[in-house]
Amino acid sequence: HFSPPELSLWGTGIGNTGATALAGALKQNTTLKNLWLGECENISDEGATTLKDMLSENSTLDQLALVMTGVSDDLQDELEELVSARRVHRAMSESQTLRGELPL
């Protein structure tokens, strides 16, 4: 069973500066699938917004966990919707490619 590449910084206490640095690095990411940042209470909406912006350039990340952080519920919901929509879009594109159709 293959496990996708992941990075867990769960409970490390990184904050907005760390989240911003990660977001910058992940804009060019082509391998990391899962990023776990739960229990990093110092990440607020400020840091999470940089992660949200990164998602517009990163097409590889499939999971982004920000539970038990300082991120508002509304922004966490937005991020989850973005990441979920990307997984669905990727699955549909891959399915069409396997059938020989042009991807969306």
Side-chain angles (χ1 to χ4, degrees):
H1 177 261
F2 175 75
S3 179
E6 62 182 58
L7 174 62
S8 177
L9 297 172
W10 197 276
T12 59
I14 70 163
N16 292 328
T17 302
T20 300
L22 276 170
L26 290 175
K27 286 181 180 180
Q28 301 301 316
N29 169 58
T30 58
T31 56
L32 189 70
K33 300 279 187 189
N34 303 317
L35 178 59
W36 310 111
L37 299 173
E39 292 186 22
C40 293
E41 297 91 3
N42 296 321
I43 299 176
S44 68
D45 284 1
E46 177 186 334
T49 298
T50 64
L51 293 167
K52 179 182 171 186
D53 293 343
M54 169 271 300
L55 290 173
S56 68
E57 296 183 44
N58 174 307
S59 61
T60 308
L61 204 63
D62 283 336
Q63 296 285 332
L64 175 59
L66 287 164
V67 296
M68 296 183 281
T69 63
V71 180
S72 68
D73 290 340
D74 288 343
L75 187 50
Q76 283 193 42
D77 290 345
E78 281 183 55
L79 286 162
E80 178 55 36
E81 287 175 23
L82 279 170
V83 173
S84 293
R86 292 156 43 102
R87 284 192 305 261
V88 169
H89 183 266
R90 184 178 303 110
M92 289 174 56
S93 293
E94 289 171 359
S95 174
Q96 288 175 340
T97 301
L98 289 174
R99 292 191 315 247
E101 300 172 12
L102 291 175
L104 297 174

